[in-house]
Structure formats: structure tokens, C-alpha cells
Amino acid sequence: MRRAPGSPELRQRWLIGVTAVIVLVFVARLVQVQVIQGPALAADAQASRLATAVTPAHRGDITDSAGVVLATSVDRYTVIADPVAIQSFRGHGRVDSRGRAVQNGALGVAQLLGPVLDMPDAELAAKLVGESRYVVLAKDVVPRAQRAIAELGLRAYIRTDLVSKRTYPAGTVGGGLLGFVNGEQAGQAGVEAAYDDVLAGSAGSETYERSRDGLRIPAAEQEYTPAVPGDDIHLTLVHDVQWKAQDAVDAAVRKTGAAYGIAVVQDVRTGEVIALADSGAPDPNDRSTAAVAKPSQAVTAVFEPGSTGKVVTMAAALETGAWQPDSQFTVPYRWTAPSGQTFSDSHEHAVEHLTLAGVLAESSNVGTVMAGEGIPLQTRQDYLEKFGFGQLTGLGLPGESAGLMPPDDVTKWDLRTRDTVLFGQGLSANAMQVTGVFSTVANGGIRMAPTLLAGTTDADGEESVPDRPAGERVISTGTADTLLHMMEAVTGEEGTAANAKVPGYRVAGKTGTAQMWLEGGGQTYMASFVGVAPADDPRYTVGVFLRSPHSSIYGGVVAAPVFSDIMSFTLQTMDVPPSEEKYRPLKLTW
């Protein structure tokens, strides 16, 4: 039985129906892709083409007061390869710098790049093979080499990222004071950390579209945010004086066997610190040890001021009218105070008849305690605070210690502390604080906050000088002049620091042999001398401190000669004329 032929009209309707369904599916998909998902897909596609390059900000320079560069930043590059992309590299008839045909793939890229990076072809090619898209080939590449890489036409396979490298042209000069920066160019110690917000600036960025081979699409979307350079910082330091201070304390440490040495040089009129030196200063360019991260001991190491603290007692005695320079004291070697506490001098001696000036010149503990009996406890505390003990100096250096003071409530002082503070024991201070006491006396009794910052300069060349607090009067001009005159006797033939003399200049100062208590028990000494010159027209204070000297513990023996060396150099370097007025000797005995 034969089947009836199918109806053409029915087949056509089925074909039209199937076609319509297919078209509807495509239309629906098209609507989904172009209308519903279109913006998102376009955004994803664009995002895949976008690349962002970060432009590091140029970190500001650090200079001394005359513009000598102590820290600066230079451009360097990191060379990065894309091994996955390199698989598609083709030589296309190129020849390398040695006249050889450039191969395809990793070996060909190595042929071109190797001579620039000074790497053997085989060694470099091995690094260019793999499934990674990010392989660092070299760091700290100089701009000349970066330009040579750019001329190779390998941007689809090799990129060079701009980085900044911090360098310290002065080497160890000011090394421990300057500090250093980390890999992100953020200050980690010293001045670099203290003024990081001023030096850092802000990074810029550039976002652009690139083709599949990594090349920039010229007419495509671009977004650019310029980097803002950091400000340059000008310190109050004088490079040559800083060098001399470091050299002198290094030599003193070698000569005396001291654990370390510190030297501070300060302008008495402004409070500006022109040298802040630690022995064994590191070179910030060398990061092989942790020495570069160690803060300056001039502000971190604390010790009992010892006999240098007697200057505060004398200031209080003169200012309150308790005593005059020619006040008379009968001073035995050992003496028991009204408190019941017994005190003695550093050297045994017969009973002496000393004036107040003589007590200071000979650095008599007994005589100082006797003089202190005329000074109330609260006055003793007040003058220690007025001269800056127990307070941060204001330098802002990381790790600074304010030192330790007896309780604010003087009624809580024990019987011995009441008298020991008179000759610099029972409290602790750092070298900058102790030096500041002498600068205050030399400045006519006005205490100026010490500073290291002379000013800043921004990228447009605009200079800025920081506001400085007005000086604070601590003692009257008359008291300061009298005390300075008394301190000159210390460097005379009858004083404890004849070694502190500077030819051509009058010098006033004070020796110190200060106790330092050790962790776990025991004690050592900080031998010191702090002085001012010219005493007839004070310009600079120099403080020298040597911890645990083996040759002698007395500041007049080990620290005073170092003072003389540094002060002599400073006065000559800063063109300070010699003293014109002659010293009028004070009566030291009666």
C-alpha cells in the first residue's frame, strides 16, 4: 500500500516555525548580550585592556644649613618579564648586537636583552621560560640602561617600572642622625622618620588602554594623576662641624676605651643644633646591619648629670639671693648634712676655705650641699624643671627619652635625694638636655628650644621657615653673667678642666663624672665636659660625653680635651673672632 505524499505546505510551516524559533533564540541572546549584559561586558572588556602605572613621588632632599646634600633620591628601574607572552615572540629576521640572527621565544629575547643587563644569554633565557606572568630580572637599573631596553622594542614582553632609591652622599657624616627609608621609601629612623610627612610627597598614577600585545592605544581612554614631590628639608647642621664632632668622639673612644661617645654643638643664641654626633656612626647606604636603625644616643641614653648639674644649683643660689660668688664656706672632705645624710668629695683633702665660686671651680660635692641648705626643696625642683630636665627637648627625634625626675611632690623625696639633686644625682637626663642648661646660661638666662629644622623648600622653590617658640627666661641676665664668670674659673689653673682651654678664646664650662646604673645591677660612669665659648661673647656650646672610659672616669681628664678640639674647630669654621676682653679672676678661697 503506497503512502500518500507529504504536504509541501505542512513542511514549509514546520520549517518556518523552526526558523522562527531559532531566530527568536538568537534575538533573545542578542538582546541579552547587547542590552542586558552589554554594559557589563563592555566594562569587563575595557577593564581587561586597562593598565595602571604608579609613579612614585620624588622624596625631598635633606641638606645641611649651607645646602650640602645629606640625603637624596635617584631614579632607578626594576626590569620585569612576562614569560607567557614571551612564548609568542618572533625574531622576524632581526640580528642582535653581536650580529647573530635573533631566535624565536625566550632565547631571542635573551639575545637582545642580555647585553643590556650584562647577563649570559642562557642564564637569562632560563628565567624567561615558564607559566608566570611576572618575573623580576633586575633591580636598581640606571636610567641609561632603561632607555636602552626601551629601544629594543620589547614592551609587549619586558617592562621597566620606575622606582626611587635613597642615597646618602655624605656617608657616615650624620649617618645615625639621618636614619633611613624602607623599600616603600618611608622614613624608618632619625630625621627621615621624624619629618616623613614633609619629605614623602604623594605618588601619582596613569591609567590607559593597551592592545593584546601590550602597546598603548593612542586614542583610547586615559586618566592621569601627577605625583606630588616631597619638600626638601634644610637642617641646622653644619656638615664640616658634624664631621669634626664625629671624628673627635671616635678618636676619644679609641684612646680612652670608652663604650661610646656623644658630642653636641649648639648655637646659644638660636638653639640651633649644628652637630649631634655619636661615635661609630653608620653609613645609611649600607643596610647590611641593624646599626643604621639605632637612634642617636644623644637623646636616648640617659644618665645622672653629675657635677654638670651643679650649674643649676648655683643658678638657683644666685637668683634667689641665697649666696653670692664670694660667699664663704668651710669645706671638709666629708660632711653630715642636717638631714643626717653624709656626703664626701671625689678626692680626700684637708679642710678648705672656699668661696661659692671656688666650690664650683673645684666641683666640691660637700660645698654644693652646704650651699644648697639655703635653697628650699620646692625651689630645687622648680629650677630643675625650668632648665628642661624631665621634659622632651622638642627635637622630635625617634626614641628620645625625657629622663627621670624625683616625684613632683617634694614632700615625698627621701632624705638623701633632697641633697643629691644639688650635685646632679637622683635624676637622669640625656646629653641634649644637659647641653641645653649651659646654652641657657650663655644666652643671658633665656632658654631656647633646641632645633634641627632650619626650613623647607617645596617643588616650586617656595621656601618656608618654621615658627619657633619664643625663648623662656629662666634666670636674670645678671645671674647668667655672674654664673658664666664663675664657670670660667673651672677652666683655669685651679679648676677641674684646664684641658678645656681653646687658644685665643675665653672658655666657661663644667666637668662631670656621672653615674649610670646598669641593667641587672652595678654601675658605670659617664665622663663629661660641657662648655661655652667665647665666654665674653657666647656663641656656641659644646657638650662631650664618654661612657665607661677606661683610662680615667673624670670628665676633666678625658672629655675636656675633646671639647677643646671640637670647640676650636667650630669657632674657626664659623668665623668667630677671638676674645678681646681679658678674664677677671674671681676669688676662689678666703
Side-chain angles (χ1 to χ4, degrees):
M1 181 176 177
R2 297 180 61 188
R3 297 180 61 184
S7 170
E9 293 82 359
L10 181 61
R11 286 197 298 272
Q12 288 177 354
R13 286 197 293 272
W14 272 103
L15 287 173
I16 292 172
V18 171
T19 302
V21 170
I22 294 173
V23 170
L24 286 173
V25 170
F26 276 99
V27 169
R29 180 58 178 162
L30 188 62
V31 169
Q32 181 186 22
V33 171
Q34 291 192 340
V35 178
I36 300 175
Q37 296 180 332
L41 292 172
D44 290 344
Q46 185 184 44
S48 68
R49 298 193 302 273
L50 290 178
T52 299
V54 176
T55 306
H58 180 86
R59 188 173 178 86
D61 291 349
I62 301 174
T63 73
D64 82 340
S65 59
V68 175
V69 177
L70 304 176
T72 190
S73 295
V74 294
D75 288 342
R76 292 293 183 265
Y77 293 85
T78 299
V79 181
I80 300 165
D82 181 348
V84 172
I86 287 173
Q87 296 174 13
S88 63
F89 172 77
R90 296 294 178 266
H92 293 307
R94 295 177 64 176
V95 293
D96 62 21
S97 60
R98 288 157 287 191
R100 300 172 304 173
V102 174
Q103 304 298 310
N104 295 332
L107 185 57
V109 173
Q111 285 179 255
L112 297 171
L113 189 60
V116 180
L117 297 183
D118 194 24
M119 295 178 65
D121 292 355
E123 179 183 335
L124 180 57
K127 294 184 176 183
L128 301 177
V129 176
E131 300 302 318
S132 173
R133 307 217 64 158
Y134 185 96
V135 174
V136 175
L137 300 179
K139 294 181 178 180
D140 292 335
V141 173
V142 298
R144 182 174 58 185
Q146 186 274 337
R147 290 192 294 271
I149 293 172
E151 292 171 358
L152 294 176
L154 299 173
R155 283 189 296 175
Y157 318 100
I158 304 294
R159 80 171 197 250
T160 54
D161 287 354
L162 175 65
V163 294
S164 187
K165 182 179 180 180
R166 198 66 164 169
T167 64
Y168 301 86
T172 60
V173 178
L177 180 61
L178 294 174
F180 70 106
V181 298
N182 61 15
E184 287 69 46
Q185 299 298 291
Q188 298 297 293
V191 172
E192 293 276 27
Y195 296 102
D196 187 58
D197 56 339
V198 179
L199 293 163
S202 57
S205 64
E206 184 179 12
T207 301
Y208 57 91
E209 289 190 52
R210 59 185 177 182
S211 63
R212 292 186 64 183
D213 59 2
L215 300 178
R216 185 191 298 261
I217 301 175
E221 177 183 343
Q222 298 186 36
E223 183 178 338
Y224 177 68
T225 302
V228 179
D231 292 351
D232 293 341
I233 280 183
H234 313 297
L235 300 180
T236 59
L237 297 180
V238 175
H239 174 276
D240 290 353
V241 177
Q242 178 71 31
W243 167 82
K244 179 60 179 181
Q246 289 183 203
D247 183 69
V249 292
D250 281 340
V253 166
R254 291 191 298 268
K255 182 177 180 180
T256 67
Y260 62 77
I262 301 167
V264 181
V265 184
Q266 186 177 26
D267 186 321
V268 303
R269 300 177 180 181
T270 63
E272 294 179 345
V273 177
I274 67 171
L276 196 69
D278 293 275
S279 61
D283 183 347
N285 296 297
D286 179 8
R287 310 294 170 75
S288 61
T289 71
V292 72
K294 188 176 181 180
S296 173
Q297 307 229 57
V299 295
T300 59
V302 295
F303 48 88
E304 292 187 338
S307 293
T308 55
K310 293 172 183 173
V311 172
V312 177
T313 300
M314 296 299 166
L318 295 171
E319 185 75 1
T320 60
W323 307 105
Q324 299 300 321
D326 57 359
S327 296
Q328 299 175 351
F329 298 89
T330 300
V331 183
Y333 162 64
R334 181 177 286 107
W335 183 70
T336 300
S339 64
Q341 301 294 306
T342 299
F343 302 94
S344 60
D345 285 335
S346 59
H347 297 87
E348 190 166 351
H349 59 79
V351 173
E352 296 179 317
H353 296 88
L354 302 176
T355 63
L356 186 68
V359 168
L360 183 64
E362 293 196 13
S363 196
S364 170
N365 294 340
V366 170
T368 303
V369 175
M370 287 179 167
E373 291 303 313
I375 305 173
L377 292 183
Q378 189 60 55
T379 302
R380 302 177 194 185
Q381 169 84 332
D382 292 344
Y383 273 83
L384 289 170
E385 292 180 350
K386 285 181 180 181
F387 275 99
F389 289 120
Q391 307 159 43
L392 294 176
T393 62
L395 286 178
L397 292 175
E400 179 179 349
S401 171
L404 297 173
M405 285 278 284
D408 291 338
D409 184 353
V410 296
T411 63
K412 296 182 179 179
W413 288 10
D414 62 64
L415 292 177
R416 193 158 188 84
T417 296
R418 295 180 182 188
D419 291 326
T420 58
V421 296
L422 295 168
F423 53 88
Q425 293 184 8
L427 70 153
S428 66
N430 62 45
M432 188 69 247
Q433 290 171 320
V434 175
T435 303
V437 170
F438 291 76
S439 292
T440 297
V441 175
N443 192 38
I446 297 176
R447 179 182 165 219
M448 305 296 293
T451 182
L452 279 167
L453 181 63
T456 61
T457 302
D458 64 19
D460 297 325
E462 187 74 23
E463 296 185 357
S464 177
V465 177
D467 293 330
R468 294 183 182 173
E472 176 187 352
R473 180 160 292 284
V474 176
I475 53 178
S476 68
T477 302
T479 296
D481 290 345
T482 299
L483 181 53
L484 199 64
H485 195 187
M486 291 169 59
M487 288 162 53
E488 277 197 78
V490 174
T491 62
E493 295 303 326
E494 298 180 71
T496 58
N499 292 328
K501 290 180 179 179
V502 177
Y505 298 88
R506 287 167 54 184
V507 174
K510 185 69 188 76
T511 54
T513 301
Q515 292 177 318
M516 293 185 71
W517 299 101
L518 302 174
E519 293 183 11
Q523 69 176 30
T524 186
Y525 293 92
M526 181 72 84
S528 62
F529 181 84
V530 186
V532 176
D536 50 319
D537 185 17
R539 289 295 309 279
Y540 297 102
T541 302
V542 172
V544 175
F545 307 83
L546 297 171
R547 172 173 172 166
S548 307
H550 292 169
S551 57
S552 171
I553 65 172
Y554 297 109
V557 176
V558 294
V562 186
F563 162 89
S564 176
D565 189 21
I566 296 173
M567 181 62 87
S568 177
F569 183 91
T570 300
L571 294 172
Q572 293 177 40
T573 300
M574 306 306 288
D575 295 323
V576 179
S579 296
E580 295 182 358
E581 298 181 16
K582 289 187 176 181
Y583 168 62
R584 294 175 291 104
L586 289 171
K587 193 172 183 179
L588 304 183
T589 60
W590 58 275

